[in-house]
Amino acid sequence: MTRRGLMLFVALFASVWWSWVNLTFAVNIMPWLTRRQLAFVMLAAMFALGAIAVAAPEATTERAWLFAAGNTALRIVLLALWISQSWATGGAASRIRVLAYNGVTAGIWLASIWVPQPWNFVLWGAAIVIEVVLLVTSSTSWADRVIANLNVEHLAERFGLLVVIVLGESVLSIVAALDEAWTIEAGLTAALGLAAIALLAWSFFMYGTKAMRDGLEALRAAGDYPAIRDTVGFLPFLVVVGVTAVSGALANAIHDPGEPLPLASGIALCGGIAVFYLTNAIISVRFGRPIGAVLRWAVPALVLTAALGISAALLPAGAVILCAVVVLAVIVGSAELSERRRVAGLR
């Protein structure tokens, strides 16, 4: 893992994430779709997302055209959905917004197929920026219809499932790295890596999934669409990036447990853990949790992660992963003790 590779991964994954979020959110707030209509939409979207997935490993080289074509196709599907949802009832401004949000951006993605590098990447970024800006600036006009049709259970389940997939991929990458470096030291480091992923999973599933359901329900009741937008469309991306960055660093450590972690891997490990907990803290505040209660676990988690960064610069990779497991165990253990005290106080 290099710093360039890390930045490239984040950029490409942001594009994939944004496409997936758009599809998930659009389907979520259109409960009137029949089973046949939904099946047709999802099949069409699967072909588009499949093209994006196939192209992703070479999206900056020979498969850039396929990556752009997949994004074009997905936006055409979304455009058809939004036209069917609001064209007849919306005014001129609403129709312009619908055409701009997925129609104009579909055209930009399509045009990028014939644009040489690196200008095609500039067009990709411009298309995403247009969609993000339109989403943020038109939040007020769309708030009522979105909140009225929002299915909280579906959103929480979809995002929970995505995290399950990312955690599963992390386990797979650890196993694959161990298969390539079959030594006792690599085996011990792989076991520690699995423990680290398990502790991240514990943090998410013991506290994150229920918090997301309850938080979204509270935001819907309060009519706070901007907070729903942020906690569904933007912030979970950072959670997934954090887990994926940690996974990449673990794989590198397994290959060379006796050597220092490369700088990019050290950044990925410590930065990934920090981003995971910092983002969860921001989401908790956006859900209405008391800031003081959030800071009680967020500050120690970030301080411990900073200390882990020092170990990453001084110790061999295997020892750094052991330190990471200790840090995560302390964070999870502290959260468990706090939760038990809270429950005891309610009795």
Side-chain angles (χ1 to χ4, degrees), residues 74-141:
L74 183 62
R75 279 155 179 79
I76 291 172
V77 172
L78 290 168
L79 178 62
L81 271 176
W82 287 116
I83 286 176
S84 69
Q85 192 268 345
S86 63
W87 195 263
T89 57
S94 176
R95 293 177 181 177
I96 292 172
R97 190 259 186 201
V98 167
L99 290 175
Y101 189 77
N102 287 136
V104 170
T105 55
I108 293 174
W109 278 101
L110 181 63
S112 73
I113 294 176
W114 295 278
V115 174
Q117 297 182 11
W119 301 109
N120 59 333
F121 306 140
V122 174
L123 290 180
W124 295 0
I128 294 175
V129 167
I130 289 171
E131 291 175 348
V132 170
V133 169
L134 283 171
L135 178 65
V136 172
T137 56
S138 62
S139 292
T140 303
S141 61

Side-chain angles (χ1 to χ4, degrees), residues 1-65:
M1 179 185 293
T2 63
R3 281 172 288 181
R4 180 180 181 277
L6 183 60
M7 290 187 292
L8 183 61
F9 159 75
V10 172
L12 288 176
F13 185 68
S15 170
V16 175
W17 166 269
W18 186 245
S19 298
W20 182 82
V21 165
N22 270 276
L23 177 64
T24 301
F25 200 72
V27 171
N28 179 272
I29 62 171
M30 297 184 187
W32 52 83
L33 292 173
T34 67
R35 286 184 298 174
R36 288 182 175 81
Q37 289 173 333
L38 183 58
F40 179 80
V41 168
M42 296 310 294
L43 282 172
M46 281 172 57
F47 279 103
L49 290 171
I52 293 172
V54 169
E58 304 292 337
T60 59
T61 54
E62 60 186 25
R63 298 182 190 174
W65 70 270

